[in-house]
Amino acid sequence: MEMIDLILRFTTHLILIGMTYQLLITLFDWGKIVKQPTLNVGKIKLLILFLSITIGFMVSNFIMTIIEISERLFLFF
């Protein structure tokens, strides 16, 4: 059972990080936000990657916590 939980956590983290990355890439026009976007392309991509990892990880932890709470409530009743 623990192996299934680890695989579920890992895949949830990866999927949500990827979804967040795609949202950050397509949702914002980073050229308007950053000064001299042509000189800072690598830095912008690294910032987007770090933001997507952070947001995706937090959302994944939230979802996994909700799943664990619902499992415990189901087993309690």
Side-chain angles (χ1 to χ4, degrees), residues 25-66:
I25 290 281
T26 58
L27 194 59
F28 296 109
D29 185 12
W30 294 97
K32 292 181 181 177
I33 297 173
V34 180
K35 294 180 181 177
Q36 300 175 346
T38 55
L39 298 176
N40 295 322
V41 172
K43 292 177 185 176
I44 293 170
K45 287 184 179 181
L46 188 62
L47 175 68
I48 293 170
L49 178 66
F50 286 153
L51 284 174
S52 64
I53 289 171
T54 304
I55 295 169
F57 184 77
M58 289 187 331
V59 171
S60 178
N61 277 337
F62 174 75
I63 291 172
M64 293 308 294
T65 302
I66 295 297

Side-chain angles (χ1 to χ4, degrees), residues 5-6 8-17 20 52-70:
D5 184 48
L6 290 174
L8 181 64
R9 276 187 190 276
F10 182 71
T11 54
T12 306
H13 287 324
L14 288 180
I15 289 170
L16 287 172
I17 288 170
T20 307
S52 64
I53 289 171
T54 304
I55 295 169
F57 184 77
M58 289 187 331
V59 171
S60 178
N61 277 337
F62 174 75
I63 291 172
M64 293 308 294
T65 302
I66 295 297
I67 290 172
E68 289 173 4
I69 289 171
S70 64

